[in-house]
């Protein structure tokens, strides 16, 4: 990353408010141009497909579910695109399982979360098999290029996003990584690592 010394203002609106307890003040709100989507993609054993990437804002690696902006597309179409571009996988079953507003004290940033199952390789990518992930970047890499159909240049997409690994994380291991703060991305914790264990997903897919 190269830091560019540039100051810019990207506030959607500023309002002068009269607050009952604090008096008058200025309230700035940032409005995201498009909603975001998050994909909780799971294999038949309940392992969660995740990506690791460097986050400039927090100056460190992050283990997260695939995600991105809608960029003007329907949220479900955007979720399908993000899953393929970031992981090389496609899913045969999709269900919207939640919505969220990120940083709602300062932002207007709606988010959609989808459950994706029936995973198959849809692009060229190296994927770490299910198993303990340990520290970010650890694990044995399985070459999936020879069984992939190159419908998307996943390697180029991952490079653009800064993704350095794609892996299946067993559910219990993921919960442990949340507890020790290895997984600290807020949306991943909120959508993927709550009390809805994989055994409850049948109720979602039958709805």
């Amino acid at each position: 990353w190269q830091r560019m010394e540039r100051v810019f203002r990207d506030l959607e609106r500023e309002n002068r408010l009269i607050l009952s307890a604090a008096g008058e003040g200025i309230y700035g709100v940032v409005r995201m141009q498009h909603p975001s989507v998050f994909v909780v993609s799971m294999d038949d054993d309940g392992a969660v497909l995740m990506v690791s990437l460097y986050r400039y804002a927090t100056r460190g690696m992050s283990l997260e579910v695939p995600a991105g902006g809608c960029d003007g597309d329907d949220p479900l179409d955007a979720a399908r695109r993000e899953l393929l571009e970031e992981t090389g996988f496609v899913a045969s079953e999709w269900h919207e399982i939640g919505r969220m507003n990120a940083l709602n004290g300062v932002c207007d940033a709606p988010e959609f979360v989808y459950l994706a199952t029936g995973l198959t390789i849809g692009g060229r990518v190296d994927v770490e098999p299910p198993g303990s992930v340990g520290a970010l970047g650890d694990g044995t890499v399985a070459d999936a290029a020879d069984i992939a159909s190159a419908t998307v240049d996943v390697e180029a997409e991952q490079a653009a996003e800064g993704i350095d690994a794609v892996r299946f994380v067993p559910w219990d291991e993921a919960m442990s990584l949340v507890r020790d703060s290895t997984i600290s991305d807020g949306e991943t914790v909120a959508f993927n690592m709550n009390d809805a264990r994989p055994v409850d997903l049948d109720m979602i897919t039958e709805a």
Side-chain angles (χ1 to χ4, degrees), residues 108-168:
D108 178 6
E111 299 172 334
F112 296 80
V113 60
Y114 290 91
L115 170 68
T117 55
L119 300 177
T120 56
I121 292 285
R124 296 188 179 277
V125 63
D126 289 339
V127 183
E128 293 181 13
S132 177
V133 298
L136 296 183
D138 291 349
T140 302
V141 175
D143 185 6
D146 58 347
I147 62 172
S149 59
T151 57
V152 139
D153 189 344
V154 175
E155 184 177 349
E157 296 290 346
Q158 290 176 331
E161 295 283 349
I163 294 171
D164 73 346
V166 179
R167 64 193 65 186
F168 283 98

Side-chain angles (χ1 to χ4, degrees), residues 7-25:
V7 178
F8 61 94
R9 184 185 181 101
D10 192 25
L11 287 178
E12 169 69 12
R13 61 182 183 270
E14 280 189 340
N15 299 112
R16 183 174 297 277
L17 304 178
I18 299 177
L19 307 176
S20 58
E24 185 176 303

Side-chain angles (χ1 to χ4, degrees), residues 47-52 62-64 127-140 165-178 180 182-183 193:
V48 184
L49 184 60
M50 307 186 77
V51 299
S52 69
S62 182
L63 187 60
E64 307 176 5
V127 183
E128 293 181 13
S132 177
V133 298
L136 296 183
D138 291 349
T140 302
V166 179
R167 64 193 65 186
F168 283 98
V169 184
W171 185 268
D172 289 343
E173 183 73 14
M175 293 296 292
S176 177
L177 294 175
V178 168
D180 69 15
T182 298
I183 294 177
M193 307 302 155

Side-chain angles (χ1 to χ4, degrees), residues 8-207:
F8 61 94
R9 184 185 181 101
D10 192 25
L11 287 178
E12 169 69 12
R13 61 182 183 270
E14 280 189 340
N15 299 112
R16 183 174 297 277
L17 304 178
I18 299 177
L19 307 176
S20 58
E24 185 176 303
I26 299 294
Y27 203 115
V29 177
V30 177
R31 182 179 183 275
M32 301 303 292
Q33 186 175 6
H34 300 291
S36 298
V37 292
F38 295 82
V39 184
V40 180
S41 42
M42 306 185 77
D43 67 11
D44 292 342
D45 296 321
V48 184
L49 184 60
M50 307 186 77
V51 299
S52 69
L53 69 164
Y54 180 78
R55 287 298 189 188
Y56 177 78
T58 54
R59 302 295 196 274
M61 297 300 295
S62 182
L63 187 60
E64 307 176 5
V65 296
C70 287
D71 300 334
D73 293 335
D74 175 82
L76 178 56
D77 291 338
R80 295 178 190 273
R81 182 190 69 238
E82 292 298 332
L83 178 62
L84 177 59
E85 290 179 352
E86 294 193 4
T87 71
F89 279 82
V90 296
S92 61
E93 298 289 336
W94 289 84
H95 302 272
E96 182 183 329
I97 57 174
R99 299 187 184 189
M100 190 170 108
N101 291 300
L103 297 174
N104 63 1
V106 293
C107 294
D108 178 6
E111 299 172 334
F112 296 80
V113 60
Y114 290 91
L115 170 68
T117 55
L119 300 177
T120 56
I121 292 285
R124 296 188 179 277
V125 63
D126 289 339
V127 183
E128 293 181 13
S132 177
V133 298
L136 296 183
D138 291 349
T140 302
V141 175
D143 185 6
D146 58 347
I147 62 172
S149 59
T151 57
V152 139
D153 189 344
V154 175
E155 184 177 349
E157 296 290 346
Q158 290 176 331
E161 295 283 349
I163 294 171
D164 73 346
V166 179
R167 64 193 65 186
F168 283 98
V169 184
W171 185 268
D172 289 343
E173 183 73 14
M175 293 296 292
S176 177
L177 294 175
V178 168
R179 287 191 291 269
D180 69 15
S181 297
T182 298
I183 294 177
S184 59
D185 171 63
E187 283 78 7
T188 299
V189 172
F191 284 140
N192 192 26
M193 307 302 155
N194 54 33
D195 291 335
R197 292 182 55 82
V199 293
D200 298 322
L201 296 180
D202 287 340
M203 293 186 295
I204 296 173
T205 56
E206 290 172 2

